[in-house]
Amino acid sequence: MRTLHTVLAAALSAAALAACTSVAPTGPAADRSVAITILHTNDHHGRFWQNSDGEYGMAARKTVVDAIRAEVAAAGGYSLLLDGGDVNTGVPESDLQNAVPDFKGMNLLGYDAMAVGNHEFDKPAAVLAMQRQLAAFPLLSANIYRDGQRAFDAYKLFNLGGVRVAVMGLTTEDTRKMGNPDYMRGLEFRSPIAEAATLVPALRRQADVVIAATHMGHYADGQHGNNAPGDVEMARTVTGLDLVVGGHTQNPACMKAENVLDTTYVPGTPCSPDRQNGTWIVQAHEWGKYVGRADFQYRNGQFTLVKYALIPINLKKPATGSGARTTYTAPIAEDPAMLALLRPYQEFGQRQLLVDVGRTDARLEGDRSVVRRKATDLGQLIGQSMLDQTGADFAVLNAGGIRDALPAGAITYKDILQVLPFGGTLATVDLTKDEVLAYLQVAVGMQTGAGSLPHLRGVQPVMDGKTVVQARVQGALLQPDRTYKMVINHFMGVGGDGYPVLTSHPGYVNTGYVDSEALRAYIAAHSPLQTAQFAPPAGVNCRNFRCE
């Protein structure tokens, strides 16, 4: 097995040994039933501790998982705990500590395997190597290659009461455009569907049940837009998968009807998982908000779903009036051992983060469902901080870089890092008029709803139908006899989110300034902020700037 990087050698060796699981050469005897429960989570994104409302957190999750395991074992059954990837990035306490508390918490929870998510590549290869060494379970991906060899274990085999279960990992091929290419040099992200089409028949010759732990996304009825195909498309294409435990799209995969997603799913109510081509598809929203529980029975070659549920982890109903928020289901106590493990990491993070930086007169919008569909005041604020830090003429920011809102009132360093958690650096590039127009043409063509959607500060495209024919920079039309300094994040500069690669442009400079530090400095210098100053300019919220 080749390595991700020379520092990965030890981690890869350990993973290879862990994958050598001994299983029986044949399955269970005829007419014997074996109960198997698959527990699953996905898109943890650093939420090792409960939030300020007491929701989710790994300590309450452990209480639920332990209780289910005990129940299943007492009834003579077997269980696996799987994850759909993206442990990294999202909460400052975790980000500052390279997700060490999260992987240690997963070890204590007893995870059996996880898919490699795109956010596992948010930091340098040495960090991923450390995480792989720390994890007491394999990180699986069959479709990530280096030098023609798989960079991760493709699958792991388990023997559950004589039933041979293969768990295969798959990672979205969009990782290449969504992650920082500097951290993925030399890696090849092949089509996970093509890889599964080859691997599943081989696995069926040595396993009775085949499960895919994926980080590909659940797109209802296969409508994946500009994103790479996901779990539905794979299940329709690849025969022989019994179950897909998914992640990436961060939604509960609960269906109202065939191919119709229940977009208003209420925690604690019944959830009907998707089924395509005989394959069940499950996904447990995000952040450990739920533990998914799929109870199966294996008998005479048939793997039958008996019941399914999403178990909310202390999720609370919206506040009504002045009353306190209450949980949808019975409150779940936090496991003492998990609390003891994680509390030092939480306290360390709090000491670093709970420092006031400034104030704002109102909330600045950074919710994922909003910033990926239209320009917002927070996008404008971040863009302005980029301009102030670099002296550029205009800024372009991908919506996927904005991960949270800024609250009204006091703003802490933690708040800023929740908005900009990736530690990305700012890059500037000097462009001619034609180059500006060409770049903006790409930007305005990005899909609404995707992380690539642009937020612009200091520049407004002038459209003729779908074509950018001119632009105003700081209110003045572009002139052919001068250059303009654009600031973006380096992630975009190296081609992230499908933007043009600019690193070879003679005017490109990676400044080394960290985006969160630029925002922190701007807020401190201009506090208290007046949010009205950052209202998006008129016309910016026309769909992708294509105004009717």
Side-chain angles (χ1 to χ4, degrees), residues 110-458:
Y111 274 83
D112 293 292
M114 68 167 272
V116 176
N118 58 285
H119 283 285
E120 269 58 85
F121 299 94
D122 282 349
K123 293 191 176 185
V127 174
L128 179 56
M130 176 274 294
Q131 293 172 343
R132 293 180 71 179
Q133 289 178 309
L134 180 60
F137 50 89
L139 279 63
L140 303 176
S141 183
N143 65 299
I144 303 177
Y145 282 76
R146 174 183 285 277
D147 298 333
Q149 303 293 322
R150 289 191 174 108
F152 294 83
D153 290 332
Y155 62 91
K156 183 171 182 179
L157 295 171
F158 300 89
N159 186 336
L160 304 180
V163 179
R164 302 165 304 171
V165 178
V167 177
M168 169 182 61
L170 295 167
T171 306
T172 177
E173 57 199 296
D174 277 344
T175 300
R176 169 61 66 189
K177 72 177 185 181
M178 299 177 75
N180 188 330
D182 282 350
Y183 302 154
M184 295 182 286
R185 293 191 183 280
L187 290 179
E188 179 186 359
F189 293 83
R190 298 184 182 179
S191 164
I193 294 179
E195 207 71 18
T198 299
L199 187 56
V200 169
L203 290 177
R204 292 234 66 105
R205 291 192 289 270
Q206 56 181 314
D208 306 298
V209 173
V210 177
I211 298 172
T214 75
H215 197 81
M216 297 167 59
H218 176 261
Y219 303 102
D221 200 19
Q223 302 301 306
H224 59 86
N226 288 344
N227 302 305
D231 297 332
V232 170
E233 301 89 301
M234 178 175 67
R236 290 174 175 177
T237 303
V238 180
T239 300
L241 283 169
D242 294 292
L243 173 67
V244 174
V245 171
H248 188 48
T249 41
Q250 300 179 225
N251 59 282
C254 302
M255 310 305 290
K256 287 172 47 176
E258 185 176 2
N259 293 319
V260 180
L261 184 68
D262 184 357
T263 57
T264 58
Y265 175 73
V266 176
T269 61
C271 171
S272 298
D274 202 351
R275 198 176 196 195
Q276 302 285 335
N277 190 26
T279 300
W280 292 105
I281 302 173
V282 297
Q283 186 174 164
H285 203 177
E286 62 187 0
W287 305 354
K289 291 178 178 178
Y290 300 89
V291 170
R293 175 178 180 172
D295 292 298
F296 289 90
Q297 183 183 78
Y298 182 88
R299 183 181 177 88
N300 294 335
Q302 299 297 311
F303 193 56
T304 304
L305 182 64
V306 177
K307 61 181 179 179
Y308 180 76
L310 283 179
I311 302 167
I313 307 301
N314 288 332
L315 297 185
K316 294 185 177 179
K317 301 173 185 177
T320 56
S322 58
R325 295 179 63 192
T326 58
T327 55
Y328 285 96
T329 53
I332 300 165
E334 294 186 290
D335 178 77
M338 185 66 80
L339 285 175
L341 172 69
L342 297 180
R343 183 172 284 111
Y345 295 101
Q346 176 69 5
E347 291 176 348
F348 173 83
Q350 292 291 303
R351 289 195 299 271
Q352 304 301 310
L353 299 168
L354 294 182
V355 177
D356 284 354
V357 174
R359 300 187 65 84
T360 178
D361 64 343
R363 181 178 184 271
L364 289 149
E365 182 59 74
D367 187 84
R368 173 192 178 103
S369 64
V370 180
V371 296
R372 297 189 180 206
R373 295 191 175 278
K374 65 179 184 179
T376 71
D377 46 13
L378 181 55
Q380 294 292 302
L381 170 62
I382 296 170
Q384 188 59 51
S385 72
M386 295 164 68
L387 296 181
D388 272 33
Q389 182 69 64
T390 62
D393 298 302
F394 68 96
V396 182
L397 171 68
N398 60 316
I402 304 173
R403 307 303 285 195
D404 207 344
L406 278 178
I411 299 172
T412 65
Y413 185 33
K414 177 179 178 179
D415 295 326
I416 292 170
L417 291 180
Q418 288 184 167
V419 171
L420 298 172
F422 301 115
T425 55
L426 302 181
T428 62
V429 59
D430 294 323
L431 303 174
T432 65
K433 173 186 175 181
D434 288 343
E435 288 174 327
V436 172
L437 295 180
Y439 195 87
L440 292 176
Q441 186 66 59
V442 174
V444 302
M446 294 298 182
Q447 181 186 12
T448 299
S452 56
L453 190 80
H455 287 250
L456 309 179
R457 181 69 171 179

Side-chain angles (χ1 to χ4, degrees), residues 509-533:
V509 176
N510 183 354
T511 68
Y513 296 131
V514 177
D515 54 5
S516 57
E517 292 303 314
L519 181 59
R520 180 184 188 183
Y522 184 89
I523 291 172
H526 296 85
S527 184
L529 298 179
Q530 304 296 314
T531 54
Q533 297 177 359

Side-chain angles (χ1 to χ4, degrees), residues 459-478:
V459 61
Q460 287 183 274
V462 177
M463 309 292 297
D464 181 4
K466 297 182 179 181
T467 304
V468 179
V469 295
Q470 189 39 290
R472 291 184 174 86
V473 172
Q474 300 298 334
L477 291 173
L478 293 176

Side-chain angles (χ1 to χ4, degrees), residues 76-138:
Y78 302 84
S79 61
L80 288 177
L81 177 58
L82 306 176
D83 188 80
D86 270 9
V87 174
N88 287 290
T89 308
V91 174
E93 290 91 338
S94 172
D95 298 339
L96 283 172
Q97 301 176 80
N98 291 328
V100 167
D102 309 86
F103 278 97
K104 285 190 173 182
M106 292 179 77
N107 288 343
L108 187 57
L109 272 157
Y111 274 83
D112 293 292
M114 68 167 272
V116 176
N118 58 285
H119 283 285
E120 269 58 85
F121 299 94
D122 282 349
K123 293 191 176 185
V127 174
L128 179 56
M130 176 274 294
Q131 293 172 343
R132 293 180 71 179
Q133 289 178 309
L134 180 60
F137 50 89

